[in-house]
Amino acid sequence: ETGVTQTPRHLVMGMTNKKSLKCEQHLGHNAMYWYKQSAKKPLELMFVYSLEERVENNSVPSRFSPECPNSSHLFLHLHTLQPEDSALYLCASSQSPTGNYGYTFGSGTRLTVV
Amino acid sequence: GENVEQHPSTLSVQEGDSAVIKCTYSDSASNYFPWYKQELGKRPQLIIDIRSNVGEKKDQRIAVTLNKTAKHFSLHITETQPEDSAVYFCAAEGFGNEKLTFGTGTRLTIIP
């Protein structure tokens, strides 16, 4: 493990379900991110948290709701999703939200909405 | 905001030959340019990065070059091996910008 752990690895959910994705980092980093990875598209930034404060919400639909209770944990709460939301959801952390440090990614959650 | 374009989208190279992937960016204030490698079914991993005060950086078989005037940067892989097969992503970030903007990725296939 690289220090960023995501659970679950795979998730199948119906459009009326509510589920949550979890991300945990053990690197002492101060910034955490949610990215969406779809086939043949660039990695799409969804949310940025810096020291537990949300600093960016990249026009993400309200059916995605992030939560960062502390600097080590990040959640993505999902409800009433659409089939087009099926994708790989990647969590990442970095040493600092500024100062240009590389990201450490988790293994992702492969989400399928049926 | 920043826009990053990456070419080619797919690249096949004979084992032992070199591979070059190019990216352009739009924000002249961007000053940090990492490259990530994502093997099939795995997470993206940082393989090399360069900051704007440097024109070239090398780490064994991989190197990155940056042309700030033209706003483009490139990844060079020499003596390619089968384990180099993966999708490679470039990215750009301005200081204090709090996020990376990624390119669309290049699927590199090394032909034995």
Side-chain angles (χ1 to χ4, degrees):
Chain A
E1 286 293 343
T2 63
V4 179
T5 305
Q6 285 187 248
T7 54
R9 293 293 302 271
H10 301 273
L11 178 62
V12 179
M13 61 186 287
M15 289 189 283
T16 58
N17 290 161
K18 289 185 180 181
K19 296 286 184 183
S20 295
L21 310 185
K22 180 182 177 182
C23 176
E24 185 174 0
Q25 58 99 359
H26 311 278
L27 301 168
H29 287 173
N30 291 321
M32 296 185 78
Y33 311 80
W34 279 117
Y35 276 86
K36 177 183 179 182
Q37 187 174 33
S38 305
K40 300 185 179 180
K41 285 187 175 182
L43 284 158
E44 299 173 58
L45 178 66
M46 300 177 72
F47 301 103
V48 179
Y49 274 85
S50 169
L51 297 170
E52 304 153 43
E53 180 182 343
R54 190 193 308 179
V55 295
E56 178 128 0
N57 175 349
N58 210 29
S59 302
V60 179
S62 59
R63 57 185 184 269
F64 295 91
S65 174
E67 178 189 2
C68 187
N70 54 63
S71 59
S72 299
H73 293 86
L74 184 66
F75 295 90
L76 188 63
H77 303 300
L78 317 171
H79 66 96
T80 59
L81 295 191
Q82 304 298 312
E84 60 264 29
D85 296 323
S86 298
L88 180 68
Y89 288 84
L90 288 163
C91 172
S93 70
S94 68
Q95 188 172 337
S96 169
T98 62
N100 311 136
Y101 297 94
Y103 292 178
T104 300
F105 282 93
S107 296
T109 295
R110 173 72 60 188
L111 174 66
T112 303
V113 181
V114 297
Chain B
E2 175 68 276
N3 182 46
V4 177
E5 294 190 1
Q6 183 171 348
H7 300 280
S9 57
T10 60
L11 179 62
S12 294
V13 172
Q14 206 72 36
E15 183 178 353
D17 288 350
S18 297
V20 180
I21 302 170
K22 299 180 180 180
C23 288
T24 59
Y25 61 98
S26 60
D27 187 353
S28 56
S30 289
N31 60 0
Y32 175 65
F33 308 93
W35 285 89
Y36 288 83
K37 174 184 180 183
Q38 187 175 26
E39 296 177 65
L40 189 63
K42 296 189 176 180
R43 72 192 77 199
Q45 291 192 293
L46 178 68
I47 56 171
I48 195 167
D49 57 14
I50 192 168
R51 288 177 170 78
S52 58
N53 58 344
V54 175
E56 183 174 358
K57 184 176 179 181
K58 191 173 181 181
D59 182 4
Q60 298 183 332
R61 296 187 297 107
I62 59 173
V64 58
T65 58
L66 172 65
N67 183 327
K68 282 207 71 179
T69 303
K71 291 191 284 188
H72 67 71
F73 55 112
S74 299
L75 178 71
H76 305 254
I77 306 174
T78 58
E79 301 171 18
T80 52
Q81 300 169 5
E83 54 265 36
D84 295 329
S85 293
V87 178
Y88 291 81
F89 293 94
C90 63
E93 179 179 342
F95 189 88
N97 200 22
E98 299 173 329
K99 63 180 180 183
L100 287 171
T101 300
F102 285 86
T104 49
T106 296
R107 182 172 299 280
L108 174 64
T109 302
I110 306 302
I111 305 167

